[in-house]
Amino acid sequence: MPSFDSLDTPAALVDLDRVERNLQRVATYAREHGLRWRPHTKTHKTAELGALQVAAGASGVTVSTVLEAEVMAAVSDDVLLAYPPVGARRLARLLALPSHVRITVALDAVEVLDGLARAARDAGRTVGVLVELDLGMRRVGLKTPDEAVALARVAASTPGVSFRGVTFYSGHLRMPQAELPAAMQAQSQTLASFVDALRGAGLPPEVVSGGSTPTLWQSHTVQGLTEIRPGLNALNDRNSTVIGANDWTECAYSVLATVVSTAVAGQVVIDAGAKALAKEEGLAPGYGVLLDRPEIVVKNLSEEHGLLDVSATTWRPRIGDRVRVVPNHVCVSVPLHPRLHVVRGVQGVATWEVTARGW
Amino acid sequence: MPSFDSLDTPAALVDLDRVERNLQRVATYAREHGLRWRPHTKTHKTAELGALQVAAGASGVTVSTVLEAEVMAAVSDDVLLAYPPVGARRLARLLALPSHVRITVALDAVEVLDGLARAARDAGRTVGVLVELDLGMRRVGLKTPDEAVALARVAASTPGVSFRGVTFYSGHLRMPQAELPAAMQAQSQTLASFVDALRGAGLPPEVVSGGSTPTLWQSHTVQGLTEIRPGLNALNDRNSTVIGANDWTECAYSVLATVVSTAVAGQVVIDAGAKALAKEEGLAPGYGVLLDRPEIVVKNLSEEHGLLDVSATTWRPRIGDRVRVVPNHVCVSVPLHPRLHVVRGVQGVATWEVTARGW
């Protein structure tokens, strides 16, 4: 395959050398600490990268949509849907996954559990259930041990499902690595109160699943954790670098763009805008930075225009020059692209369709 | 086709009755004021909606990418690429549009003009050129009449291209309608200085193209304007409603979503997140509101979760209930969806593939 220089822009690039190092690093960490690694595939939505994760030692995959489950069932026989499956069509598709695939679902409500159990019975399957806990994220999940015990009890006694354990997501702990230990210790204590209550009720959780990318490297400090589900760290991005979850050299995703205008003083316009990078506020000003010049910030985005701030630099690219942009948040940039162009250095080595974009 | 209630969620809905009214309104306005209407199709990226615009009286279409040009060439024989075509592959694709299609390009640099002219000559075609002016947006475009005259002169004397006029985009005039007249009067004077300079140089612009959705209904106050290019007003969104460019009943786009969790007090979680709505800051707090209950705000988005703020209402939907969300900015939500589900009332009448998403 040719160099990525021949690609039309904007184009999503994945640096395979970096991906492989990122996967090895987390696989080693999980092995050393006796944690199962179940990467969240919502970050990349591609079967090929899911397969690399499984080959690197993932014990299964995590998905957030049924389409992701359908795509990842081709590369893993152990799928956790970390999202409540509500609705007849979603349930029907979930239960239609190949029969060799072990399905587990995270949920926080008895209505969802009942619908899932009914669909599972109709399909002649048993689906694992993880009770979703809210350890401070305030998005989904049960807030008290009593609520968790009550739902676990229903799960344990309802045909069609089996209670497997608990899950939580610590998306709110998105802070510099130095500030993490205190926050995670507090969280660990909260988690212990849930686990103790479940044990006391005769429902010891076989699975205690957590572990976002920002908290990843402190996962071993969480008492009783059995499984981590980092997604973003396969590719990393500007946000994860800002908080120190990875080095800049571990950023494996960028958007290749072409300089299209230099008419307005102090700025350079590239052809990667909100429709290629996503205009999502991040942990630092702007919407991304250049991979090769991280001091150059994407100060604003229109739909197809990215505005590079060059007011504090002598660097003056010319129309037609190319740059690579690392966006604030890789997970919302990837599904804007039909495919990922996989490179080693400048050399194209593969093209991966983002098969699981959409629903 | 069945009711939209049978759709998997999230799903993008287009209310065809509203679209038709929106198109009639702008077509009537343009006709009454002697303006050509060249809608920007980047908002919807679907051939079917482009065809409706042409049928309603559009004199051609505007596009921002070559893929949009390729898709829209099937429904219009007059395409304006309002984006500098930089790069050999982009130019080759542009010049490969069907020969009956009149191509015009907006640009602000002689390097872009030279590359375009060379590609046009190689293809045996002549491409129209509009010189892009910066009337205050500070994104692309030439800032002084002298610069505009210089570029127009090159365009007029270079084989392969022909100078057709000037273009500008007033995306910065995104303000309540009552504040617009003063801002547009100032802009009109600036525009006149460019047009006068071109006339004085023997290069009178045949086309003076402007007109965003926020400024749409004041376009007739811009001296010398010949053409308007609104895109968003085919569908409208929360931002355009906030500034009064349309009534709430003219919002024709929404994302159908299902309630999936009510575990956290004061909020309701739906399955339309940043990957369905786009997490773009808007002109009011939050990321969207419910079509049928515009007082309910989407206060935050994760990738697949939308958090409805129900703290100030007694409305308490149940898990499985469905809502329709109008996002802040329709143009960045549409390309997140593979297709648009077209409805009249609750009745599905068509499915339009978002063929021009990607590049």
Coordinates of all heavy atoms in Angstrom, one line a residue, chain A residues 7 28 58 71 82 87 101 105 133 146 184 234 254 271 286 307 315-316 342 353:
Chain A
L7 N -3.4 9.8 0.3 CA -4.8 9.7 0.7 C -5.5 11.1 0.5 O -4.9 12.1 0.6 CB -5.0 9.4 2.2 CG -4.5 8.0 2.6 CD1 -4.5 7.9 4.1 CD2 -5.4 6.9 2.0
T28 N 0.0 -6.4 29.8 CA 1.0 -6.7 30.9 C 0.6 -6.3 32.2 O 0.7 -7.0 33.2 CB 2.4 -6.1 30.5 OG1 2.8 -6.5 29.2 CG2 3.5 -6.3 31.5
A58 N -6.9 -10.1 25.7 CA -8.2 -9.7 26.3 C -9.0 -10.9 26.6 O -9.0 -11.8 25.8 CB -8.9 -8.7 25.3
V71 N -20.7 -6.9 15.6 CA -19.4 -6.8 14.9 C -18.4 -7.6 15.8 O -17.6 -8.4 15.2 CB -19.0 -5.4 14.7 CG1 -17.6 -5.3 14.2 CG2 -20.0 -4.7 13.7
A82 N -22.3 -3.2 28.0 CA -22.3 -2.3 29.2 C -23.3 -1.2 28.9 O -23.1 0.0 29.1 CB -20.9 -1.7 29.3
G87 N -36.0 -2.2 24.6 CA -36.7 -2.2 23.3 C -36.7 -3.6 22.7 O -35.7 -4.3 22.7
V101 N -21.5 -17.4 21.7 CA -21.0 -16.2 22.4 C -21.7 -16.1 23.8 O -22.9 -16.1 23.9 CB -21.4 -14.9 21.5 CG1 -21.1 -13.7 22.3 CG2 -20.7 -15.0 20.2
V105 N -24.8 -8.6 30.4 CA -25.4 -7.3 30.3 C -25.3 -6.5 31.6 O -25.5 -7.1 32.7 CB -26.9 -7.4 29.9 CG1 -27.6 -6.1 30.0 CG2 -27.0 -7.9 28.4
L133 N -23.5 -0.2 39.3 CA -23.5 0.7 40.5 C -23.1 2.1 40.1 O -22.3 2.3 39.2 CB -22.4 0.1 41.5 CG -22.4 -1.4 41.8 CD1 -21.3 -1.7 42.8 CD2 -23.8 -1.8 42.4
D146 N -28.4 -1.5 49.4 CA -29.7 -2.1 49.5 C -30.3 -2.3 48.1 O -30.9 -3.4 47.8 CB -30.7 -1.3 50.4 CG -30.3 -1.5 51.9 OD1 -29.5 -2.4 52.2 OD2 -30.9 -0.8 52.7
M184 N -9.5 7.5 44.3 CA -9.8 6.0 44.1 C -9.9 5.3 45.4 O -10.6 4.3 45.5 CB -8.7 5.4 43.2 CG -8.9 6.0 41.7 SD -7.9 5.2 40.5 CE -8.7 3.5 40.4
A234 N -6.5 2.2 23.8 CA -5.9 1.5 22.6 C -5.4 2.5 21.6 O -4.4 2.3 20.9 CB -7.0 0.7 21.9
S254 N -4.8 9.9 14.6 CA -4.8 11.3 14.2 C -5.6 11.4 12.9 O -5.9 10.4 12.3 CB -3.4 11.8 14.0 OG -2.8 11.0 13.0
D271 N -8.6 21.2 6.4 CA -9.8 20.6 5.9 C -10.3 19.5 6.9 O -11.1 18.7 6.5 CB -9.8 20.1 4.5 CG -8.7 19.0 4.3 OD1 -8.0 18.7 5.3 OD2 -8.6 18.5 3.2
G286 N -9.3 24.6 23.1 CA -9.3 24.2 21.7 C -9.8 22.8 21.5 O -10.3 22.2 22.4
L307 N -9.3 25.6 12.4 CA -8.5 26.8 12.5 C -7.3 26.6 13.4 O -7.5 26.5 14.6 CB -9.4 28.0 13.0 CG -10.1 28.8 11.9 CD1 -11.0 27.8 11.0 CD2 -11.0 29.9 12.5
W315 N 6.2 29.0 12.6 CA 5.8 28.0 11.6 C 4.8 28.5 10.7 O 3.7 28.9 11.2 CB 5.4 26.7 12.4 CG 4.9 25.6 11.5 CD1 5.7 24.9 10.6 CD2 3.6 25.1 11.4 NE1 4.9 23.9 10.0 CE2 3.6 24.0 10.4 CE3 2.4 25.4 12.0 CZ2 2.4 23.3 10.1 CZ3 1.2 24.7 11.7 CH2 1.3 23.6 10.8
R316 N 5.0 28.5 9.4 CA 4.0 29.0 8.4 C 3.9 27.9 7.3 O 4.6 28.0 6.3 CB 4.5 30.3 7.9 CG 4.3 31.5 8.8 CD 2.8 31.8 9.1 NE 2.7 32.9 10.1 CZ 2.7 32.7 11.4 NH1 2.9 31.5 11.9 NH2 2.5 33.7 12.2
V342 N -4.6 2.4 8.3 CA -3.6 1.9 9.3 C -2.2 2.0 8.7 O -2.0 1.6 7.5 CB -3.9 0.4 9.6 CG1 -3.0 -0.1 10.7 CG2 -5.4 0.3 10.0
E353 N -12.5 -0.9 8.0 CA -13.9 -0.3 7.9 C -14.3 -0.1 9.4 O -14.2 -1.0 10.2 CB -14.9 -1.1 7.2 CG -14.5 -1.4 5.7 CD -14.5 -0.1 4.9 OE1 -15.4 0.7 5.0 OE2 -13.5 0.1 4.1

